[in-house]
Amino acid sequence: MKVRFNRWYNAVLTALLSMLGYSCSSDDIVDEYGVPVEYGVPTAHFIMKGTVTDEAGTPIQGIKATLKVMPYQQPEHAYGIDSTMTDAAGKYQIEYHQLLNEKILLLEDVDGAANGGEFQSDTIDISKLEPKKIGEGDGRWYEGKFEIQADVKMKRK
């Protein structure tokens, strides 16, 4: 008897919840401006690239470029998203999706005196750079593809 009741109870609950779920996700729901109501997070694809040179303009190989998120403009809470090393031409490229706006690029000489000498670390606030749109979005949550160019001249220690 108890098993039969549980099956009946589960069937009724399943039917009610499926109807409620369907009505909540209907495409017919619009706000007061006539725009369909959607839930999600706006995203965009970014390509951060540039060239690292010394003060004389010579490309530097072996510089570590780290993309970091700095929540609430507090450097002590910064954490890395991705990193790469510059190639023989001093070029780097990091691709990421926009999650938070407070991003910085940290450039560090991790190989010491190799590859042209020792250089001081440098930090770039990405929010001060103007992204260039290179791909269109879908008109909904995906805003498109952007490119950010950040060329850096590093000082010797």
Side-chain angles (χ1 to χ4, degrees):
M1 180 70 178
K2 194 173 194 177
V3 172
R4 182 178 282 178
F5 175 75
N6 283 342
R7 285 186 185 165
W8 178 82
Y9 183 72
N10 286 338
V12 170
L13 277 178
T14 302
L16 285 173
L17 290 175
S18 66
M19 286 188 283
L20 288 173
Y22 178 74
S23 67
C24 290
S25 63
S26 172
D27 287 339
D28 297 333
I29 299 174
V30 294
D31 66 5
E32 63 269 15
Y33 302 106
V35 177
V37 177
E38 297 181 58
Y39 298 96
V41 177
T43 62
H45 184 91
F46 284 87
I47 300 170
M48 178 88 189
K49 66 181 190 175
T51 305
V52 179
T53 60
D54 63 9
E55 294 172 308
T58 306
I60 309 170
Q61 181 178 1
I63 298 295
K64 182 178 180 184
T66 306
L67 183 65
K68 292 190 169 203
V69 173
M70 190 173 59
Y72 311 111
Q73 298 297 324
Q74 297 176 351
E76 65 273 11
H77 296 294
Y79 60 91
I81 296 176
D82 199 2
S83 64
T84 188
M85 302 291 279
T86 56
D87 61 12
K91 297 192 180 297
Y92 69 90
Q93 180 171 316
I94 300 173
E95 295 188 30
Y96 65 97
H97 290 277
Q98 179 183 9
L99 299 174
L100 297 170
N101 291 330
E102 301 94 7
K103 291 185 179 61
I104 58 172
L105 181 70
L106 176 63
L107 298 158
E108 304 172 278
D109 185 2
V110 294
D111 63 4
N115 294 317
E118 293 186 54
F119 296 91
Q120 296 176 9
S121 295
D122 198 1
T123 303
I124 298 172
D125 184 356
I126 296 174
S127 65
K128 295 187 179 359
L129 301 175
E130 187 67 35
K132 176 183 168 188
K133 192 167 192 172
I134 59 173
E136 292 300 319
D138 62 4
R140 292 178 167 237
W141 292 111
Y142 179 63
E143 296 177 5
K145 195 171 192 177
F146 296 85
E147 186 176 270
I148 300 173
Q149 183 75 27
D151 296 327
V152 180
K153 288 190 181 290
M154 295 188 74
K155 296 179 182 176
R156 293 189 183 271
K157 284 188 177 179

